[in-house]
Amino acid sequence: MGILIHGDGSFAGQGVVYETLHLSALPNYTTGGTIHIVVNNQVAFTTDPRSGRSSQYCTDVAKALSAPIFHVNGDDVEAVVHACELAAEWRQTFHSDVVVDIVCYRRFGHNEIDEPSFTQPKMYKISNKVTSILNEEFLASKDYVPQRRDWLSAYWAGFKSPEQLSRIRNTGVKPEILKNVGKAITTLPESFKPHRAVKRIFEDRAKMIETGEGIDWAVAEALAFATLLVEGNHVRLSGQDVERGTFSHRHAVLHDQETGKIYCPLDHVMINQDEEMFTVSNSSLSEFGVLGFELGYSMENPNSLVLWEAQFGDFANGAQVMFDQFLSSGEAKWLRQTGLVVLLPHGYDGQGPEHSSARLERFLQMSDDNPYVIPEMDATLRKQIQECNWQVVNVTTPANYFHVLRRQLHREFRKPLIVMAPKNLLRHKDCKSHLSEFDDVEGHPGFDKQGTRFKRLIKDQNDHSDLEEGIRRLILCSGKLYYELDEGRKKTEGKDIAICRVEQLCPFPYDLIQRELKRYPNAEIVWCQEEPMNMGAYSYIAPRLGTAMSTLGRGTVDDIKYVGRAPSAATATGFYQVHTKEQNEIVQKAMQPHPISL
């Protein structure tokens, strides 16, 4: 039974209350009814009710649900007990929300350490008799010993704290399993009549699985979900329009064009699959409330891959409180882990300032790894991810996306994952992976010394040796800009330029960065991004890249060349022609024949 405790000021004034009330009866968000206890001390810090709401009662917002609301005198203990018993019976009988408005006062004002009579003098003329009763009961309460009942202990047993070393695991899957689940997620029932465009998409997907070639983003994601399901994990994806996908790429739920019936391929990965194993749910038009719900869901069971996807990345700012107070700092404050995945579509493609940036810089600025200290980077001893507050990635291949999702569950700890998700890469001709990059067989293109797993950095793809003294420029970048830079390099025949992709920005891959610095000893070092200089990853990357350089004697942070947009108040221009001009200038500067000026 869920019990939420509110203040009167927040119940009437905070929009998230209304958002979560309206989640209460939605199919994939219901909890069987919540009891809302409003501790109504008739003052919000120092603000009187007449200044805090327009309605008579602070609980009137719950009338939108037709939820019963019990108003009860907080000084009448028996009446409070009676109201709460009624509320509990209502919830158990009807499985819907109910509100108990306990009308009372704060004895010592806000936080119990304030002086309330400054602003509410009449309310605080209370009798000595009541004060003495309260004092006696308070003293008696000190002898009470609560019984420890940790409702999370069973599921979370065996998970490791940041101080305990957790071995790095491979995330590749046996080829036969990939083929089997791939067939299941690309096959529709014969009687099902999909939209003709969707039918063509699924025919193309089936061909990808059959040939192993041209695996795109949506198929890679579905393969990650399907393989986790086969391994016995629950997968839950939530957010605005996630069933189809904002960019019409996912099609996780299909609609019969004649009957209107729905079919979800990921519900049929295994024979007699429990339909609750996979949940994909279009949420209400809420960020704050829904992200909070998913965060709580992810904390209940570590063996669930729980994902929340924003419609566009910058919509996450509607849930900023959740990121600031809970997701970025919850483990540090309360020693509570979560493996929640946040998918934030990000990338500059001319759609204007409100649909370009997921505000990557904010998530990196909230990261707690030290920019001036290189941690233990040996693969068998590395605790870098365990010790940081979250992971931030900007992935450029479907296979790497597959591995980073599976990595979330294939480890002995849990850590939030912030993904700068793609938009135009969803259908980019070069943003494809081979099925062999997903499996665990040695000797294929996706295999390296550690086996198949997420690549924190993708080295230059031109078969460079361990030492390339003829390379004059090393460009480090992240995200979809790589494909534009690679195209520019081909046009200018810039064979003396190397381009490396930093796929995991936080925590910073010092070991792999230093490997590339050693490979190109004579190259000028460039950080290239499409965001303005005061945004994107530059402010985060610069001191860490400088630390990696200085320990190798390759200069300092002052020697890093920046290529990207100039500082800006707005994330992007609203004019497509201006966007194209700016984007071209970034690529041209990165490829220019003479050294880049600081």
Side-chain angles (χ1 to χ4, degrees):
M1 179 168 71
I3 300 175
L4 286 180
I5 299 180
H6 307 265
D8 52 309
S10 62
F11 200 80
Q14 290 286 324
V16 70
V17 174
Y18 193 73
E19 290 179 34
T20 47
L21 284 170
H22 277 280
L23 291 179
S24 63
L26 302 185
N28 289 305
Y29 301 89
T30 184
T31 59
T34 298
I35 294 180
H36 300 269
I37 305 285
V38 181
V39 183
N40 183 356
N41 38 51
Q42 305 170 74
V43 52
F45 202 162
T46 64
T47 303
D48 278 330
R50 66 174 179 270
S51 301
R53 62 177 185 266
S54 299
S55 59
Q56 182 176 359
Y57 295 105
C58 65
T59 52
D60 283 347
V61 65
K63 289 180 178 177
L65 294 188
S66 298
I69 303 167
F70 300 112
H71 304 283
V72 59
N73 179 358
D75 276 338
D76 188 340
V77 177
E78 291 180 345
V80 172
V81 171
H82 180 62
C84 288
E85 284 181 342
L86 265 177
E89 287 178 30
W90 174 278
R91 188 266 180 189
Q92 295 300 87
T93 305
F94 300 108
H95 305 295
S96 61
D97 284 29
V98 56
V99 180
V100 180
D101 177 23
I102 304 177
V103 183
C104 51
Y105 58 90
R106 283 195 183 111
R107 185 172 170 224
F108 292 124
H110 189 73
N111 281 352
E112 298 296 329
I113 54 170
D114 198 31
E115 176 46 72
S117 52
F118 286 159
T119 49
Q120 278 81 23
K122 287 184 179 178
M123 191 191 300
Y124 284 90
K125 288 182 177 175
I126 44 179
S127 69
N128 292 331
K129 182 180 177 183
V130 173
T131 305
S132 65
I133 292 171
L134 291 172
N135 278 329
E136 286 168 16
E137 293 299 321
F138 176 65
L139 290 170
S141 72
K142 291 184 176 180
D143 297 327
Y144 175 72
V145 180
Q147 297 297 310
R148 185 180 177 277
R149 288 182 63 186
D150 187 355
W151 61 288
L152 290 167
S153 57
Y155 287 133
W156 285 85
F159 278 82
K160 295 189 173 178
S161 71
E163 291 75 35
Q164 299 170 291
L165 180 66
S166 172
R167 298 292 177 196
I168 297 168
R169 297 179 184 171
N170 290 346
T171 47
V173 177
K174 286 185 169 61
E176 57 271 24
I177 294 176
L178 285 169
K179 285 281 188 184
N180 287 339
V181 300
K183 193 172 181 183
I185 61 177
T186 57
T187 304
L188 304 178
E190 286 185 20
S191 59
F192 191 82
K193 300 288 189 295
H195 189 281
R196 62 179 183 274
V198 172
K199 185 183 180 193
R200 191 163 59 249
I201 288 168
F202 273 76
E203 288 169 351
D204 291 343
R205 290 180 180 180
K207 205 174 293 179
M208 292 175 200
I209 299 296
E210 191 180 326
T211 63
E213 295 176 355
I215 306 284
D216 65 15
W217 206 271
V219 172
E221 180 185 78
L223 284 171
F225 293 166
T227 53
L228 288 170
L229 291 170
V230 167
E231 291 162 0
N233 301 291
H234 171 46
V235 177
R236 176 184 170 88
L237 171 64
S238 160
Q240 295 158 19
D241 308 295
V242 294
E243 293 179 7
R244 190 201 72 173
T246 298
F247 310 102
S248 197
H249 68 286
R250 182 173 288 121
H251 298 289
V253 177
L254 311 179
H255 298 258
D256 190 299
Q257 296 299 293
E258 293 180 5
T259 66
K261 287 185 177 178
I262 63 171
Y263 180 78
C264 176
L266 280 158
D267 277 339
H268 303 276
V269 176
M270 297 169 283
I271 297 169
N272 299 324
Q273 181 178 324
D274 183 342
E275 64 179 25
E276 298 301 323
M277 284 286 285
F278 178 72
T279 305
V280 56
S281 181
N282 288 343
S283 73
S284 62
L285 198 66
S286 155
E287 289 84 31
F288 193 163
V290 173
L291 179 62
F293 184 96
E294 303 307 334
L295 174 61
Y297 199 107
S298 71
M299 294 169 82
E300 195 273 334
N301 190 337
N303 300 314
S304 296
L305 181 70
V306 182
L307 309 95
W308 177 74
E309 182 177 71
Q311 196 169 59
F312 283 89
D314 46 2
F315 289 17
N317 60 15
Q320 197 64 48
V321 172
M322 282 295 158
F323 290 109
D324 293 348
Q325 306 301 119
F326 295 93
L327 203 56
S328 67
S329 57
E331 186 176 12
K333 292 193 285 194
W334 306 303
L335 305 179
R336 290 291 304 277
Q337 295 185 6
T338 167
L340 182 66
V341 179
V342 178
L343 304 176
L344 304 176
H346 173 85
Y348 283 54
D349 40 24
Q351 294 298 305
E354 269 61 72
H355 292 87
S356 295
S357 175
R359 290 290 190 173
L360 170 60
E361 63 278 358
R362 291 182 179 169
F363 298 98
L364 292 174
Q365 190 263 334
M366 285 192 278
S367 303
D368 67 352
D369 58 331
N370 191 323
Y372 304 112
V373 177
I374 299 180
E376 174 62 67
M377 297 305 297
D378 183 273
T380 61
L381 299 171
R382 191 166 70 234
K383 292 194 294 183
Q384 190 191 24
I385 287 183
Q386 285 173 259
E387 292 174 345
C388 75
N389 61 330
W390 59 15
Q391 314 146 97
V392 182
V393 302
N394 196 359
V395 182
T396 59
T397 73
N400 225 21
Y401 179 50
F402 169 89
H403 287 295
V404 82
L405 290 180
R406 286 181 50 78
R407 183 177 76 164
Q408 282 297 96
L409 293 193
H410 281 268
R411 51 167 56 141
E412 297 167 300
F413 61 92
R414 293 290 175 262
K415 197 69 65 172
L417 173 65
I418 309 296
V419 181
M420 296 293 113
K423 294 181 288 182
N424 67 3
L425 291 192
L426 297 170
R427 295 179 178 83
H428 195 286
K429 62 181 176 59
D430 296 324
C431 185
K432 301 284 191 283
S433 296
H434 193 276
L435 196 59
S436 67
E437 295 176 65
F438 299 73
D439 69 37
D440 63 351
V441 180
E442 192 167 355
H444 63 57
F447 197 91
D448 56 24
K449 288 176 186 173
Q450 293 85 37
T452 41
R453 63 174 58 143
F454 174 66
K455 289 176 170 49
R456 293 170 293 138
L457 180 146
I458 298 180
K459 63 185 181 183
D460 189 277
Q461 297 297 288
N462 287 336
D463 294 323
H464 289 169
S465 66
D466 289 345
L467 186 63
E468 293 283 348
E469 295 181 333
I471 296 294
R472 66 181 175 90
R473 181 176 299 147
L474 168 60
I475 299 175
L476 296 168
C477 66
S478 191
K480 65 101 171 166
L481 181 62
Y482 163 76
Y483 292 97
E484 294 165 58
L485 291 171
D486 190 44
E487 190 68 28
R489 180 171 58 175
K490 287 172 185 169
K491 285 180 182 174
T492 58
E493 297 184 353
K495 293 180 180 176
D496 53 358
I497 295 176
I499 308 174
C500 295
R501 289 168 266 178
V502 185
E503 301 278 287
Q504 177 179 291
L505 297 158
C506 172
F508 191 68
Y510 286 102
D511 52 339
L512 303 181
I513 292 286
Q514 290 188 324
R515 182 190 72 189
E516 299 309 310
L517 292 174
K518 291 174 186 173
R519 193 194 306 271
Y520 308 112
N522 301 319
E524 66 173 332
I525 299 161
V526 174
W527 174 258
C528 187
Q529 66 178 38
E530 55 184 359
E531 301 90 351
M533 184 189 263
N534 58 319
M535 301 176 194
Y538 177 61
S539 297
Y540 173 87
I541 291 288
R544 290 163 179 82
L545 179 54
T547 299
M549 290 162 59
S550 62
T551 55
L552 294 178
R554 286 291 300 276
T556 66
V557 66
D558 296 330
D559 297 301
I560 300 168
K561 310 290 182 70
Y562 169 80
V563 176
R565 284 176 169 82
S568 170
T571 53
T573 177
F575 297 97
Y576 184 74
Q577 292 88 342
V578 175
H579 158 80
T580 305
K581 179 173 176 288
E582 291 174 347
Q583 205 77 358
N584 290 338
E585 285 171 355
I586 290 171
V587 176
Q588 286 163 11
K589 185 174 181 181
M591 297 300 143
Q592 70 184 32
H594 49 278
I596 293 168
S597 57
L598 289 169

